């Protein structure tokens, strides 16, 4: 039975190390239903590592990851989770599959084999509609632009009607206007569809006023700011290693890298 | 001339068509996973299995199946040690398999001629026992592929996302490796060690040039493969040519024609 409590993810005292070198130490972090959390940090700050711990791709050395109030170790309700991996941005663009087929792979895993063809088609169309890609369902994935491809990957993650969407640097390599459109879709999914969103990003300038919560990953720890008002120029400078020109108070940043 | 009037040609067609379907289907996944050379590595290991069978007096085909499977797992182990240089594992197993085969050949001098039939393929020398084994193992592989095709598609496209969808990626990958090894061992009997990779890779290459969907990719690969085997067998019988080589040359010609047509089109 689905648990409808407020807690989506709870990371408790998690430490993680690569080859004995700790990259995260005693991290505590909670994501609640309806949150739009952006995890920011410099290169190598272990943002993606933290996200992989949340979705079970990595196992913590010590501590515990809870998802929907269950220990991730025994978790099996994967249809409640949507995930857009960093790998998605680097896919082989010559892969011979249509948009429709790729979004459909999001249904496999649990009971994918038993879904009727019509039901599958409907779920795929619905997911494509959420990202505004329903007219391109018969196109080959390689015929799309980078921005369109990312929307397809989001649709693939949405096809099982998940309650939370994890995205690992989804806008890498996409032009500025496509990024803007992409973030607008995420905001709409969060506000209108009630999907909790956790996103790793470098793109502080665009995401800052859209995310409701900012997680700064630095010094092997995670510092969560529950509202944008809590975030100061110093926080961002310490986290990213460069200063903001202005706009923190107005929630609209102009950044100098 | 009715070439199907001959028993050996009937067996050749059955074994050839089953192998063509298996090799091309596995080939699509193998090429998309950027492991095109795995067929070469496994087939060389299979050859050493054939030599072991001949040396110790058991059915060589069993030797091919066992050694091909062992080689597949060895590739996985070596790949983990060289995760950024995946091709190292393929090269090591290929040369190791060939090395072992050569040593075994030098020990058992009497079976050199028989072994040659596995090196270059001897479709027309396929026995009834071979046909039964190819049909049985082939059926297992085809049923497995049909049952796991959706999961294999998801894993091949984006392995990380597949894991988060709850797909048992490690178990399916291991099973796929084993199925690839089995398919290669069967193909060795048909086109021979030296040409098995071609039967896996060329039909997949043709389909990548033409396909407009993932489903179509398999249809085209299987079509090209079966067409090559049937016409190759026919031509080799009429003109007294080596069947394995003829099959591969036909498949290669189809690929060249498709590439040429696409260039003209664009």
């Amino acid at each position: 039975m689905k648990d409808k409590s407020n807690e989506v993810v709870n990371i408790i005292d998690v430490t993680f190390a690569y080859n004995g070198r700790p990259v995260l130490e005693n991290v505590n972090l909670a994501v609640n239903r309806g949150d739009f959390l952006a995890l920011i940090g410099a290169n190598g700050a272990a943002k993606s590592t933290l996200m992989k711990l949340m979705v079970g791709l990595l196992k913590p050395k010590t501590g515990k990851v809870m998802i929907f109030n269950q220990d991730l170790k025994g978790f099996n309700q994967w249809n409640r989770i949507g995930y857009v991996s960093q790998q998605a941005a680097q896919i082989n663009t010559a892969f011979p599959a249509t948009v429709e087929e790729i979004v459909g792979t999001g249904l496999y895993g649990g009971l994918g084999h038993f879904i009727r063809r019509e039901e599958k088609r409907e779920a795929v169309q619905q997911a494509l509609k959420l990202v505004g890609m329903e007219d391109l369902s018969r196109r080959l994935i390689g015929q799309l632009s980078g921005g369109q491809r990312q929307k397809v990957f989001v649709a693939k993650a949405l096809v099982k009607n998940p309650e939370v969407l994890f995205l690992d640097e989804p806008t890498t390599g996409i032009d500025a206007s496509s990024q803007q459109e992409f973030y607008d879709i995420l905001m709409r999914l969060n506000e209108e569809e009630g999907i909790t969103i956790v996103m790793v990003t470098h793109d502080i300038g665009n995401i800052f006023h859209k995310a409701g919560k900012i997680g700064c990953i630095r010094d092997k720890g995670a510092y969560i700011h529950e509202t944008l008002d809590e975030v100061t120029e110093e926080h961002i400078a310490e986290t990213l290693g460069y200063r903001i020109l202005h706009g923190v108070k107005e929630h609209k940043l102009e950044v100098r890298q | 001339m009715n070439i199907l009037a001959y028993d050996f040609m009937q067996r050749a067609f059955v074994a050839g068509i089953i192998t063509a379907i298996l090799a091309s289907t596995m080939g699509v996944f193998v090429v998309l996973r950027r492991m095109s050379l795995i067929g070469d590595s496994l087939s060389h290991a299979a050859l050493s299995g054939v030599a072991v069978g001949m040396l110790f007096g058991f059915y060589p085909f069993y030797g091919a199946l066992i050694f091909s499977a062992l080689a597949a797992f060895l590739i996985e182990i070596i790949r983990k040690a060289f995760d950024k240089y995946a091709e190292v594992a393929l090269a090591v197993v290929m040369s190791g398999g060939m090395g072992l085969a050569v040593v075994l050949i030098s020990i058992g001098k009497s079976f050199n001629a028989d072994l040659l039939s596995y090196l270059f393929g001897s479709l027309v020398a396929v026995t009834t026992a071979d046909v039964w084994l190819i049909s049985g193992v082939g059926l297992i592989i085809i049923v497995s592929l049909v049952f796991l095709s959706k999961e294999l598609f998801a894993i091949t496209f984006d392995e990380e996302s597949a894991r988060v969808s709850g797909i048992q990626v490690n178990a399916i990958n291991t099973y796929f490796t084993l199925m690839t090894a089995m398919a290669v061992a069967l193909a060795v009997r048909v086109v021979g060690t030296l040409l098995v990779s071609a039967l896996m890779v060329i039909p997949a290459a043709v389909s990548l040039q033409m396909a407009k969907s993932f489903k179509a990719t398999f249809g085209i690969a299987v079509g090209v493969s079966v067409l090559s085997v049937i016409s190759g067998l026919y031509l080799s019988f009429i003109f007294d040519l080596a069947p394995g080589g003829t099959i591969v040359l036909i498949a290669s010609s189809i690929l060249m024609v498709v590439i040429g047509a696409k260039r003209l089109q664009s």
Side-chain angles (χ1 to χ4, degrees), chain A residues 52 55 57 78 81 83 85-88 91-92 94-98 101-102 105-106 108-110 112-113 117 140-141 153 156 160, chain B residues 28 32 34 146-151 153-154 156-167 207-208 211-217:
Chain A
K52 284 178 180 166
V55 296
L57 286 170
W78 298 105
I81 292 177
Y83 175 62
S85 72
Q86 214 173 7
Q87 276 182 7
I91 62 133
N92 164 15
F95 199 93
T98 63
E101 287 176 321
I102 284 165
T105 63
Y108 311 149
H113 276 113
R117 192 178 289 184
L140 282 172
I141 189 78
F153 300 139
K156 175 171 167 272
K160 281 194 279 195
Chain B
V28 171
L32 288 174
R34 297 178 191 276
V146 169
F147 190 71
L148 293 174
S149 61
K150 295 182 170 96
E151 284 79 1
F153 177 14
T156 305
F157 184 68
D158 181 356
E159 191 168 308
E160 265 193 3
S161 299
R163 283 183 196 277
V164 181
S165 299
I167 292 174
S207 68
L208 287 180
K212 298 280 178 245
S213 71
F214 196 62
K215 216 179 205 175
T217 310

